[in-house]
Amino acid sequence: MESKELKERAQALRAAGKTPKQIARDLGVTRAVVTRLVRGVDVVRPGRVHPAELPLLGCWISRQWSNGLSVADRPADWVDDAELPPMAMGAGLVSVAVARADGDAASTCGFLVDTYCLGVKNALPPTTSDPDEVPHFVAEFFAAYDTPPVEAPIDLARHLVFGAVDYARGLGFDPHRDFYSAAPLLGTWEPPSRITFGLNGTPYFQQGPHDNPDRIMRTLDRTVGRDNYHFTVVPTLF
């Protein structure tokens, strides 16, 4: 019996235009399972343009996104704040926001990405607003940071978000369920990523307020082995 979450993910990917073969690869199931899960899903909506084809209004990424990461053949426009401390608070946790024009409106979405271990920990599904509201969306989305985000090329966002998802899946972790509805605004993904994830190439789990450290570390023990990752967890108080 397939889980409700698996069905929702498969249907979201199908609605975004992916083929059953691509979905099977993304979710790690057989094509026959995907075919059953997505039966009846409306793939092409009359009068609607695929989100990836909507004009890009902007893409923003939190500063110090590259802390602890390496980038192969780094494009000149993949900028970051190199002069800031290389391991500042929040290193390894990156926010990405995207806005596209949808007719007279704007469609926006966002991702919270753990580049060291868990991939997409949270996502904001696409929402529609007046284009004049986009700056307010960006300000609110990055309000937790001490500095404003950097404007970035959409290609960098794809390599960060999709690349982190691929990396996390290799460690045994799936992205947040809302990733599947937000991902189409990033555009088409063609792996592999230019970015090497993990802290200097090694998985590093940093416990967040909603993480289950026992479950996550058991998964890492199984996929990479106890001595092949690092972690920081909050001590249990008795």
Side-chain angles (χ1 to χ4, degrees):
M1 179 75 67
E2 292 84 20
S3 69
K4 179 182 178 182
E5 183 176 1
L6 180 64
K7 183 175 182 179
E8 290 175 348
R9 291 176 176 179
Q11 291 185 346
L13 288 170
R14 184 62 175 146
K18 286 206 170 186
T19 66
K21 182 178 180 180
Q22 292 172 323
I23 298 170
R25 183 184 65 239
D26 288 349
L27 300 184
V29 297
T30 67
R31 186 170 177 176
V33 168
V34 171
T35 300
R36 182 165 60 252
L37 292 175
V38 302
R39 187 174 293 119
V41 173
D42 183 16
V43 180
V44 180
R45 297 180 181 129
R48 293 288 294 174
V49 176
H50 189 280
E53 299 177 359
L54 297 173
L56 184 68
L57 293 176
C59 175
W60 302 266
I61 298 176
S62 55
R63 296 172 187 268
Q64 303 188 48
W65 61 263
S66 63
N67 281 352
L69 310 178
S70 61
V71 183
D73 300 321
R74 183 169 179 162
D77 56 354
W78 286 23
V79 298
D80 199 3
D81 289 320
E83 73 278 6
L84 295 179
M87 284 301 296
M89 184 67 67
L93 202 60
V94 179
S95 291
V96 178
V98 176
R100 292 186 181 270
D102 190 357
D104 295 331
S107 184
T108 55
C109 70
F111 308 86
L112 179 63
V113 186
D114 178 356
T115 59
Y116 292 168
C117 185
L118 300 177
V120 173
K121 298 188 68 173
N122 205 346
L124 180 66
T127 57
T128 301
S129 66
D130 188 281
D132 292 341
E133 294 297 316
V134 171
H136 302 290
F137 160 77
V138 174
E140 183 176 351
F141 188 77
F142 292 94
Y145 294 88
D146 294 332
T147 55
V150 294
E151 291 193 49
I154 192 66
D155 193 46
L156 170 55
R158 279 193 289 265
H159 279 257
L160 265 175
V161 177
F162 287 119
V165 168
D166 289 347
Y167 177 72
R169 281 198 177 115
L171 301 177
F173 306 109
D174 288 326
H176 188 274
R177 62 183 179 275
D178 289 332
F179 161 77
Y180 297 96
S181 58
L185 265 70
L186 287 170
T188 302
W189 170 234
E190 297 181 1
S193 178
R194 290 177 180 264
I195 301 169
T196 298
F197 294 90
L199 176 57
N200 299 318
T202 299
Y204 174 35
F205 166 55
Q206 305 174 85
Q207 183 184 351
H210 305 295
D211 292 328
N212 182 328
D214 291 337
R215 180 184 63 80
I216 291 170
M217 293 173 68
R218 283 198 302 269
T219 300
L220 289 169
D221 287 347
R222 184 180 70 253
T223 56
V224 300
R226 167 66 71 172
D227 298 327
N228 297 313
Y229 68 91
H230 305 299
F231 61 90
T232 298
V233 297
V234 178
T236 302
L237 299 178
F238 296 96

